[in-house]
Amino acid sequence: MKTEVIVVAAGAGKRLNSKVPKALVLLKGKPLIAYSLKIFEAHPGIDGVVIVGTSGFLSQFIHLTRSFKKVRAVVSGGVRRSDSVKCGLKALAPDTDIVLVHDAARHFIDRAMIDRLMAALKKNRSAIVGVPVKCTVKRIERKSLVIKETPSRDLLWEAQTPQGFHKDILLKAHARKFKEEATDDAILVERMGGKVKMVMGSYRNIKITTPEDIILAKQLLAGKG
Ligand code: CTP
Ligand code: MG
């Protein structure tokens, strides 16, 4: 089974207030995206990687291909995350069977979670990593902010990336037109009525979103976490 990874890194990083795209922000002197690329490079089950980067910074993403031999293509992304994934899909090797989609903003992935994800994809056509939520989550009414519902915590998991799919399913999911923003790929498969298996990710696998996350990431990297 040929497996390729699409690493989406074409977001603006607005909530981080950074001048460079989030994926190129340096952490201990290394661009954020390099941490994930290193894990995929070393994983024997991964055959190739496609980077979807911000159009104005493509040369910096291309520069990374010097250190990571599995990176086969660097393409520019689109307006929404799902548009960027679509750009990545077009650049996959034609004989790819399994596609993992990963946010460059999650640089704390590890080999074990990729193993768990790939094992799940042997029995399921779609699977994602995630973690059980630690907090009590409320659903509110948009205007009034009044709580409408408290879903049972035991059934709530936070979705992370990587998310894995047999290629045909992912292509089909992305081919459908949708208006609502899709913050991950699983949601597109769910909307088609497809089954998506959840497997354990890790609580370290945080998404760098706001400046506080950079502070936290530095502490985790320093082993203080
Ligand atoms: N992403 C992308 N193309 C987009 C939007 C997002 O490739 N048009 C990627 C981001 O680079 C990131 C991942 O999707 O790796 C998750 O998105 P998010 O955390 O929202 O990152 P940004 O969109 O960059 O941040 P912000 O929403 O604060 O602008
Ligand atoms: Mg975003």
Side-chain angles (χ1 to χ4, degrees), residues 8-15 22 78-81 84 103-105 207:
V8 282
K14 276 192 200 129
R15 288 168 288 175
K22 198 153 74 175
V79 178
R80 301 173 300 177
R81 182 187 180 280
S84 296
D103 290 343
K207 180 162 74 73

Side-chain angles (χ1 to χ4, degrees), residues 27-173:
L27 259 186
K28 282 201 153 185
K30 267 180 20 181
L32 204 66
I33 191 173
Y35 289 86
S36 303
L37 295 177
K38 190 175 173 202
I39 299 286
F40 292 127
E41 186 80 15
H43 196 293
I46 305 296
D47 299 296
V49 176
V50 172
I51 298 178
V52 184
T54 324
S55 53
F57 289 81
L58 273 200
S59 58
Q60 295 189 41
F61 286 104
I62 290 166
H63 188 77
L64 289 163
T65 57
R66 289 189 193 173
S67 323
F68 303 102
K69 292 193 174 59
K70 284 188 187 172
V71 179
R72 277 195 320 92
V74 179
V75 296
S76 351
V79 178
R80 301 173 300 177
R81 182 187 180 280
S82 56
D83 300 320
S84 296
V85 175
K86 269 202 191 95
C87 297
L89 287 171
K90 287 183 195 140
L92 288 173
D95 56 344
T96 304
D97 303 295
I98 304 277
V99 185
L100 307 189
V101 185
H102 180 59
D103 290 343
R106 289 190 191 271
H107 66 293
F108 280 125
I109 49 169
D110 57 50
R111 162 113 185 227
M113 79 172 72
I114 297 169
D115 289 344
R116 288 193 289 275
L117 183 65
M118 292 180 75
L121 288 166
K122 294 212 165 91
K123 292 185 191 148
N124 302 272
R125 295 170 71 72
S126 307
I128 72 169
V129 298
V131 284
V133 299
K134 293 180 183 175
C135 307
T136 301
V137 178
K138 309 281 187 188
R139 182 201 291 277
I140 49 143
E141 208 260 328
R142 195 184 294 276
K143 275 192 186 151
S144 66
L145 301 188
V146 169
I147 295 167
K148 284 288 166 204
E149 190 200 349
T150 305
S152 169
R153 202 171 56 190
D154 346 327
L155 298 177
L156 291 177
W157 283 54
E158 195 181 312
Q160 301 181 334
T161 69
Q163 303 192 342
F165 308 88
H166 287 239
K167 190 175 75 178
D168 51 340
I169 291 273
L170 191 60
L171 288 176
K172 211 169 145 191

